[in-house]
Amino acid sequence: MSVKITQLHPRFGARVEGINITRHMSENDFNDVRTAFEKYSVIVIHDQDIDDDQQIEFSQRFGDLEMMAPHLGNDEKPRHISVMHNEDRNGKIIPPEDERMIYQSANMIWHSDSSFKPIPSLCSMLHARILPPKGGETEFASMRAAYDTLEPDMKNYLENKVVIHDFATTRKMVGGQLSDWQKKNLPPVRQALIRKNSVTNRKAVFIGGHATLIEGMDEENGKSLLAQLLKHATQKAFVYSHQWKVGDLVIWDNRAVLHRGRTWDVANHKRVLHRTTVAGDGPTV
Ligand code: OGA
Ligand code: MN
């Protein structure tokens, strides 16, 4: 059976049908998915009844996986799966005011996963296990659309700029705590502001919640330019909102889109999604 691709938004995003991750996918079918990923930035695959091992195995076809460090609201041992959840080990809802939920609420700030690491990630995959009856969407914003629609002067101005990304910035925004491990191991890093995809040659603005300062600009001007770019990048016309169904697997290109989670009735309904993150292949500067 061959792969069918349907674009989801005028600028990016595609639904891919005709694949089943529980059965080994042919090299040909995988290449179709991989090519669609480079082109569309967000890939939605419905009805995947997979467990963590199957998600890991499929994710590894894209490359080596990042290890999820231990942190609040997640598991204790470093491993390849990171769980977005408001359900505790006993199946009870974690109260919204619990530290673990405050920690996870940073996911509701526009961001690119791992942009705070020296080598930022290639992509993330999220698999929906338990969903609330409404809300809890994940939104994606095309940083290629953002780049393409900048004025030529602005494109030139931004071309070789370097941005400092700092994990502590998003935690501060939600009033969350960093673990000792995070304090020690996640110092601020430098990232290119404009990134070019070597397969498609498309450029993207690389920003998001961890983006803190612009090198060579004073703090205030840098922050204000970052805020202006973020507003431009996340305007409605550049956003695809994914309304989850149980079994959905969504793959997104962290080089080309920002994402954020949306809230739901967290005190009364569970939401559980499992994530894998594929490591990038090198620094951006
Ligand atoms: C993530 C993330 C948002 C969401 O998994 O990296 O930011 O909607 N998730 O759960
Ligand atoms: Mn994320």
Side-chain angles (χ1 to χ4, degrees):
M1 186 170 169
S2 67
V3 167
K4 182 179 165 212
I5 295 168
T6 313
Q7 192 158 344
L8 289 171
H9 178 282
R11 291 180 178 269
F12 70 121
R15 180 174 62 241
V16 172
E17 292 163 288
I19 58 174
N20 183 338
I21 286 162
T22 60
R23 282 185 239 124
H24 190 79
M25 201 184 295
S26 69
E27 209 45 45
N28 264 347
D29 281 1
F30 179 72
N31 285 339
D32 286 351
V33 176
R34 191 70 175 75
T35 306
F37 162 79
E38 295 288 352
K39 180 170 175 193
Y40 294 102
S41 307
V42 176
I43 298 296
V44 174
I45 309 169
H46 293 303
D47 303 320
Q48 300 301 306
D49 185 15
I50 51 172
D51 60 22
D52 285 350
D53 288 341
Q54 288 166 322
Q55 182 171 346
I56 288 170
E57 191 186 278
F58 176 68
S59 304
Q60 282 170 335
R61 294 184 80 165
F62 281 75
D64 291 339
L65 300 191
E66 289 191 354
M67 275 301 208
M68 303 300 170
H71 64 71
L72 266 174
N74 205 332
D75 249 297
E76 60 298 307
K77 293 196 294 301
R79 54 183 199 147
H80 290 315
I81 293 278
S82 176
V83 183
M84 312 295 131
H85 66 124
N86 64 332
E87 181 191 46
D88 70 15
R89 247 166 267 238
N90 305 315
K92 291 224 181 63
I93 290 180
I94 304 172
E97 64 279 4
D98 187 286
E99 261 187 307
R100 288 168 290 180
M101 294 311 294
I102 293 167
Y103 183 92
Q104 287 186 79
S105 68
N107 283 338
M108 297 184 183
I109 300 166
W110 287 109
H111 65 283
S112 170
D113 291 331
S114 307
S115 79
F116 54 82
K117 293 185 184 172
I119 297 178
S121 64
L122 170 69
C123 63
S124 300
M125 296 189 198
L126 205 49
H127 182 243
R129 303 288 180 92
I130 302 174
L131 296 171
K134 78 177 202 278
E137 301 86 358
T138 305
E139 293 183 338
F140 299 92
S142 170
M143 293 192 281
R144 290 180 182 167
Y147 179 80
D148 290 347
T149 52
L150 290 172
E151 296 297 333
D153 283 354
M154 188 55 135
K155 287 181 179 164
N156 286 335
Y157 180 72
L158 299 177
E159 184 62 33
N160 292 310
K161 291 258 181 296
V162 172
V163 176
I164 306 300
H165 287 240
D166 189 351
F167 183 71
T169 302
T170 47
R171 302 305 123 168
K172 264 184 222 144
M173 286 162 86
V174 295
Q177 297 292 310
L178 258 62
S179 68
D180 290 337
W181 186 93
Q182 287 166 332
K183 278 186 208 152
K184 199 164 119 223
N185 292 286
L186 300 176
V189 298
R190 304 171 75 232
Q191 305 291 6
L193 177 51
I194 305 300
R195 297 181 71 178
K196 184 165 142 185
N197 179 308
S198 57
V199 176
T200 60
N201 281 331
R202 300 256 332 249
K203 287 184 178 175
V205 181
F206 190 52
I207 46 173
H210 308 300
T212 307
L213 299 167
I214 300 184
E215 266 185 18
M217 289 180 80
D218 67 42
E219 190 174 333
E220 195 186 329
N221 288 330
K223 282 197 188 312
S224 124
L225 180 53
L226 287 169
Q228 182 193 327
L229 288 170
L230 187 66
K231 188 163 175 234
H232 170 73
T234 58
Q235 62 184 276
K236 262 213 165 104
F238 302 163
V239 172
Y240 162 68
S241 175
H242 186 68
Q243 189 92 48
W244 290 96
K245 289 208 271 295
V246 170
D248 283 356
L249 181 74
V250 176
I251 311 168
W252 66 88
D253 186 340
N254 280 311
R255 304 164 304 176
V257 296
L258 293 176
H259 65 282
R260 67 170 178 182
R262 303 300 276 163
T263 196
W264 71 99
D265 181 0
V266 288
N268 294 303
H269 291 286
K270 293 180 192 172
R271 180 181 188 268
V272 179
L273 299 101
H274 287 210
R275 194 182 96 197
T276 41
T277 307
V278 181
D281 57 6
T284 62
V285 282

